[in-house]
Amino acid sequence: MDGKTLQAQGLCKTYGKTRALDGVTLTLEPGHIYGLIGRNGAGKTTLLAALTAQLPVDTGTVTYGGEPVWENENALGDLCFSRELSGKLGSSVNSLRVREYLKAGRLFYPHWDAAYADRLMAQFGLDPKKRISALSKGMMSAVTIVVALASRAPVTMMDEPVAGLDMVAREDFYRLLLEDYTATGRTFVISTHILEEAATVFERVLILKEGRLIEDCETDALLAQFCAVSGRDDAVAAACEGYEVLHTETLGRQTLCTVRAPAPEIAGRGLDVDCDALSLQKVFVALCGHEREGM
């Protein structure tokens, strides 16, 4: 699939006194799977909505293939944002049956693949006659997955697609995602809190913190920048000197530090410490879950 680049420049969005997006600039190159991660309220859903022209921003621009996406029918036909279904009473969506909701997909997405949608519904055990309001949280997630994948949109964004799914269904989703990605070369942006399972799928990681994009990097390259250093407190202090320490735990004279430094560099100092690689989840917690510290 020939892809176009989606670019955001200086996106700002404020709700009352809360700045949901604070000068976000990024480029989504075609043919990659991006992971968008951040704590609750970091601005992830707002960013995805802004990128797909479902939400106006206060300042900044979004272009697709060099053209603005706002009110651009050609661009919007290539962009899909499949967001969480809440099940809240009063929503017009919740009164629809599953098959009616999916029929709407044909209207919004010119690349819609009805046969693929039917296969996906069977895969997840979705009853097309059920109303959205009668679905479990897991089945609501399955509906959003069907819409996203069957849209065949060249740029497809998914907000918490595995929320509510059990482990087997989550594995099915990631298998289907990779199969479709391999076959089509579509660009995917996946926002999720369940990082242990998703980390191996993400080629690049985007980390939002308080509305700011603090990391935009290939996953392996990002992980290579961090390590956990443990040992006697004096040896750990010497090993980490000059590097950014993000978190420290101490038990007696034993210390464990999360540090922004490649493990080989720390090990190369020849001190009596252990250096261990960090998972994406631990890197995320270090960047967004603790106040940074100096050493």
Side-chain angles (χ1 to χ4, degrees), residues 162-239:
V162 299
L165 295 182
D166 60 31
M167 183 177 296
V168 173
R170 292 200 302 270
E171 288 187 357
D172 284 343
F173 163 67
Y174 286 114
R175 176 180 56 80
L176 290 165
L177 175 71
L178 289 173
E179 287 176 356
D180 189 82
Y181 171 69
T182 301
T184 66
R186 295 162 65 181
T187 301
F188 288 98
V189 182
I190 311 295
S191 172
T192 182
H193 285 95
I194 306 176
L195 297 182
E196 290 183 358
E197 300 168 352
T200 57
V201 175
F202 297 155
E203 294 179 283
R204 293 189 65 90
V205 176
L206 308 168
I207 300 182
L208 274 180
K209 182 177 183 180
E210 298 175 350
R212 294 178 292 108
L213 185 66
I214 63 169
E215 299 291 342
D216 178 358
C217 188
E218 290 186 3
T219 306
D220 290 343
L222 178 67
L223 298 181
Q225 297 176 35
F226 298 85
C227 67
V229 183
S230 58
R232 286 175 59 91
D233 53 6
D234 54 347
V236 170

Side-chain angles (χ1 to χ4, degrees), residues 41-63:
K44 302 185 300 298
T45 301
T46 299
L47 176 59
L48 295 179
L51 291 172
T52 52
Q54 295 190 20
L55 179 76
V57 293
D58 301 329
T59 58
T61 59
V62 179
T63 59

